[in-house]
Amino acid sequence: MREAAVVETRPYHHGDLRRALVEAARRILEGEGPTALSLRAVAREAGVSPAAPYHHFKDKGELLDAVAHVGWDMLGDSMTGAKQRAADLGSLMTEIGVSYVQFSQQHPALYRVMYDCSRDKDELPEGMQDNEDSAYCLVRETFRKVAGPDVPIVDIELATIAAWCAAHGLAEMSTFKQFEGLKAGLGGEEAFLRGVLGHLGMFQPSRLSRD
Amino acid sequence: MREAAVVETRPYHHGDLRRALVEAARRILEGEGPTALSLRAVAREAGVSPAAPYHHFKDKGELLDAVAHVGWDMLGDSMTGAKQRAADLGSLMTEIGVSYVQFSQQHPALYRVMYDCSRDKDELPEGMQDNEDSAYCLVRETFRKVAGPDVPIVDIELATIAAWCAAHGLAEMSTFKQFEGLKAGLGGEEAFLRGVLGHLGMFQPSRLSRD
DNA sequence: GCACCTATCTGAACGGCGTCAAGATCAATC
DNA sequence: GATTGATCTTGACGCCGTTCAGATAGGTGC
């Protein structure tokens, strides 16, 4: 009975605040960046008191975990889409890598939260864990298919880690606006990404194995 | 272990607080991690009031910049040392890469500050700038020497960026204590690092060029 | 030796933060 | 229709970064 729009997002005793808080956090993240993401600001954005979130999350970290979870879902979808769109086996890894970095560029604040909140716990981020359909497993299984049965398992694992490191590093580096000249000379952002990835062995199928 | 040295570090009106603050920050970083590093805690550790640092640094960010500067110096020394110790041209890049990641493992909190405080400004971190003896230039010049005169400049640049991304990614990933089994199977931490780097093209001189 | 100047440091305060305990509110259940 | 338990608010605590007025003292010109 306060304002017009509130009626729908607040069915009553707030309806489902948990989801509303996560969405509020994402709005702040996209609009104002990671430094503006305080628990109080999220509560404010969702229209509740600063203490309300504590009935749905143990602390701020748990809220960030929930936000990161959404991010890993989105990233997983991006990578799966790229894998399906890839024309041939040879370009599979490159397309997945490009989609990874492009996601980080489209959602820089979210991407940062995805890693930051796992670093605080000294735990692997969600998308890198060995669950059935984690993004990490998607990459590893892709490697297994591309490499064929002759390549030892340990090399598949190492190549996956190496690829992930490279993609994550590139994701962080490409946020620095200082390679502009180089990017322009190569023909744009994506050409730059493909140029860098092209220098990394495991993005070229013929060079997967170390031998 | 703390009170004894105070007499010497406080010749009077505090002597040189600026250096004392940077060192206090580094002590906190090593001892309690990045989350404990508040401006007030640094002042406390240095034995001055919370407002004292503002006579030497514009704000907290500037103090962190000074801490990061020390870190980049240390990392640069590590990498230079590795370059000099390398037995032959072929192992040069690998040795530098290993020393990079090992530094991040020996000083995880400092390493994090080195990147965090540059991300906050959307600027390349100090060690990656195109200054005469930045760590980045060290790597690029090494590449130039290893690659020979036939490799185009743009490929040298891309390979340097790729190597940096890979090393930085590996530095962040290896802090997650979840590859223990893999590391053990390979024969230890360093074997793991070399294993991952071995899958990355530009750490093998014969594969520097893309074509 | 003295007075002034300037850099340095302190003390107290402001608003914002994460978090918690006590009390209000209300849907659901008996 | 009273009880219950989940949800939300109010108000408070201690910590944070930052600012500002005032204390302190080293340096400089007389």
Side-chain angles (χ1 to χ4, degrees):
Chain A
M1 199 178 274
R2 285 183 186 162
E3 285 98 31
V6 173
V7 174
E8 197 227 355
T9 61
R10 190 195 266 253
Y12 177 56
H13 218 158
H14 213 186
D16 92 290
L17 222 199
R18 195 191 152 90
R19 178 190 311 274
L21 286 170
V22 173
E23 282 172 9
R26 291 221 293 135
R27 268 197 305 273
I28 292 174
L29 226 37
E30 303 271 339
E32 306 171 58
T35 58
L37 189 69
S38 67
L39 231 189
R40 293 178 104 101
V42 173
R44 228 176 287 135
E45 170 80 18
V48 295
S49 81
Y54 286 89
H55 294 271
H56 301 273
F57 303 99
K58 187 172 72 54
D59 54 18
K60 185 187 180 184
E62 234 181 36
L63 202 184
L64 294 190
D65 285 347
V67 174
H69 179 80
V70 175
W72 285 111
D73 272 357
M74 292 167 62
L75 177 53
D77 289 347
S78 284
M79 293 167 76
T80 303
K83 183 176 181 180
Q84 289 165 350
R85 276 195 311 277
D88 57 295
L89 265 186
S91 64
L92 252 180
M93 284 314 303
T94 303
E95 296 312 313
I96 295 177
V98 169
S99 78
Y100 180 100
V101 181
Q102 281 179 336
F103 173 87
S104 81
Q105 291 176 333
Q106 285 153 12
H107 310 280
L110 180 57
Y111 183 80
R112 191 159 165 189
V113 168
M114 286 158 63
Y115 276 94
D116 276 355
C117 73
S118 80
R119 262 195 292 258
D120 291 339
K121 299 178 300 185
D122 274 322
E123 258 182 32
L124 270 186
E126 207 181 312
M128 285 191 72
Q129 277 157 14
D130 210 335
N131 306 330
E132 346 130 37
D133 15 79
S134 71
Y136 180 83
C137 290
L138 172 77
V139 175
R140 190 180 52 195
E141 294 317 307
T142 304
F143 262 131
R144 207 200 297 281
K145 190 161 73 172
V146 171
D150 296 343
V151 179
I153 303 173
V154 65
D155 274 325
I156 299 284
E157 202 78 42
L158 286 174
T160 306
I161 295 171
W164 199 281
C165 290
H168 171 64
L170 184 52
E172 294 220 311
M173 296 309 158
S174 70
T175 69
F176 299 127
K177 36 154 203 197
Q178 212 133 351
F179 299 120
E180 301 296 331
L182 191 54
K183 286 174 184 172
L186 288 168
E189 187 72 48
E190 189 171 334
F192 170 75
L193 297 186
R194 292 179 185 274
V196 174
L197 291 181
H199 279 274
L200 294 156
M202 86 290 304
F203 288 97
Q204 302 168 1
S206 61
R207 288 176 176 175
L208 176 63
S209 162
R210 196 173 32 181
D211 62 2
Chain B
M1 195 192 273
R2 281 183 187 163
E3 283 94 88
V6 170
V7 176
E8 195 229 355
T9 61
R10 191 195 264 256
Y12 180 57
H13 216 155
H14 214 185
D16 100 276
L17 223 199
R18 193 190 154 92
R19 179 190 311 272
L21 287 169
V22 173
E23 281 172 12
R26 291 221 292 136
R27 267 194 310 268
I28 293 174
L29 226 38
E30 303 272 339
E32 307 171 58
T35 58
L37 189 70
S38 67
L39 232 189
R40 293 178 104 102
V42 172
R44 228 176 289 136
E45 170 79 19
V48 295
S49 80
Y54 286 89
H55 293 272
H56 301 273
F57 303 100
K58 188 172 72 55
D59 53 18
K60 186 187 180 185
E62 233 181 36
L63 203 184
L64 293 189
D65 285 345
V67 174
H69 179 80
V70 175
W72 284 111
D73 271 357
M74 293 167 63
L75 176 53
D77 289 347
S78 284
M79 293 167 75
T80 303
K83 182 176 181 179
Q84 288 165 350
R85 277 195 311 277
D88 56 297
L89 264 186
S91 64
L92 252 180
M93 283 314 303
T94 303
E95 296 312 313
I96 294 177
V98 168
S99 79
Y100 180 100
V101 181
Q102 282 179 337
F103 172 87
S104 80
Q105 292 176 332
Q106 285 153 11
H107 310 280
L110 180 58
Y111 183 80
R112 190 159 165 189
V113 168
M114 285 158 63
Y115 276 93
D116 276 356
C117 73
S118 80
R119 262 194 291 259
D120 291 339
K121 298 177 300 184
D122 275 321
E123 257 181 31
L124 270 186
E126 206 182 313
M128 286 191 70
Q129 277 157 15
D130 210 335
N131 307 329
E132 346 129 36
D133 20 76
S134 71
Y136 180 84
C137 290
L138 173 76
V139 175
R140 190 180 52 194
E141 294 317 308
T142 304
F143 262 132
R144 206 200 299 281
K145 190 162 72 173
V146 172
D150 295 342
V151 179
I153 303 173
V154 64
D155 274 325
I156 299 286
E157 201 78 44
L158 286 175
T160 306
I161 295 171
W164 200 280
C165 290
H168 171 64
L170 184 53
E172 295 219 311
M173 296 307 159
S174 70
T175 69
F176 299 127
K177 37 154 202 197
Q178 212 134 350
F179 299 119
E180 301 296 329
L182 191 55
K183 286 174 184 173
L186 289 168
E189 186 72 47
E190 188 170 334
F192 170 75
L193 298 186
R194 291 180 185 275
V196 174
L197 292 181
H199 278 274
L200 294 157
M202 86 289 304
F203 288 96
Q204 301 170 0
S206 61
R207 288 175 176 175
L208 176 63
S209 164
R210 196 171 33 181
D211 50 6

